[in-house]
Amino acid sequence: MMEDVVRMTPEQAAKRMAEFANQMQDALRSHFRPEFLNRIDDIVTFNELTISAIEPIVDIQLEEVRDRLAKRRITLDVTPAAMEHLAIDGFDPVYGARPLKRLIQRQVVDRIAAEVISGKLFDGSHVLIDIGPEGDYSCRIEGPMRLDGDIAAELDDLIADLDGED
């Protein structure tokens, strides 16, 4: 409807919007009692969510995840392919962007949490979310690695020996 209104003159657009508002009021009156309608202050109508409109929402949702990870100095990147998959998989014409938040929780946050629990992801690491060859989401860890106690001790001894040679 909005595309049609954009192509109209201002007078035609105002008339069309008024007709739409009247149709909306008639529909509400046919379903709800006047006592209920009297309690409603305003009615806001929205345009249908499109797939192109959900892409910025993916960015916003991922920025929230990045903010949470930043507390542990963990950075997050999502490849363009994964961004596109999140937008497509998280889009629902009926429910809008609501499924997107659950999808990001399952496919991004839960994967990162599993890496932390398994001991593969540490503070200061970098996480890359991508799409694998089978079309599934993948989580790649880059960055600091923890050394076991023996290797760490040997490394400390080697550094001490090198410092003593100067």
Side-chain angles (χ1 to χ4, degrees), residues 15-164:
K15 182 178 178 186
R16 179 83 184 263
M17 293 301 283
E19 289 171 0
F20 178 73
N22 287 336
Q23 290 173 348
M24 175 95 55
Q25 289 294 330
D26 291 343
L28 289 170
R29 278 190 220 106
S30 70
H31 283 64
F32 299 106
R33 297 175 53 97
E35 295 82 8
F36 174 75
L37 291 175
N38 191 39
R39 294 184 173 269
I40 298 175
D41 293 328
D42 201 2
I43 297 170
V44 179
T45 57
F46 294 92
N47 292 328
E48 185 177 285
L49 187 64
T50 63
I51 191 72
S52 62
I54 203 164
E55 290 171 357
I57 298 171
V58 173
D59 282 331
I60 291 168
Q61 293 293 322
L62 288 173
E63 198 56 42
E64 290 177 9
V65 175
R66 286 185 183 100
D67 290 344
R68 289 171 50 198
L69 292 172
K71 294 174 185 166
R72 296 191 62 180
R73 297 182 342 270
I74 297 172
T75 57
L76 171 67
D77 279 328
V78 180
T79 64
M83 288 285 285
E84 182 179 341
H85 271 263
L86 286 169
I88 292 168
D89 295 345
F91 175 74
D92 186 309
V94 175
Y95 297 109
R98 292 193 188 280
L100 176 64
K101 190 164 190 138
R102 289 187 292 275
L103 176 71
I104 289 175
Q105 178 67 43
R106 278 192 326 271
Q107 299 299 342
V108 178
V109 175
D110 290 355
R111 287 176 191 276
I112 293 170
E115 296 294 336
V116 170
I117 292 169
S118 71
K120 296 177 184 172
L121 180 63
F122 304 100
D123 291 2
S125 296
H126 177 75
V127 178
L128 179 68
I129 302 294
D130 199 0
I131 295 297
E134 302 293 321
D136 54 335
Y137 295 91
S138 68
C139 179
R140 190 169 70 220
I141 309 300
E142 303 167 349
M145 295 175 52
R146 295 285 173 131
L147 301 175
D148 66 28
D150 294 338
I151 295 173
E154 287 178 32
L155 218 91
D156 287 342
D157 291 342
L158 180 62
I159 291 170
D161 289 344
L162 290 174
D163 285 342

Side-chain angles (χ1 to χ4, degrees), residues 4-16:
D4 295 337
V5 172
V6 170
R7 289 187 219 117
M8 297 178 185
T9 65
E11 294 81 22
Q12 291 172 323
K15 182 178 178 186
R16 179 83 184 263

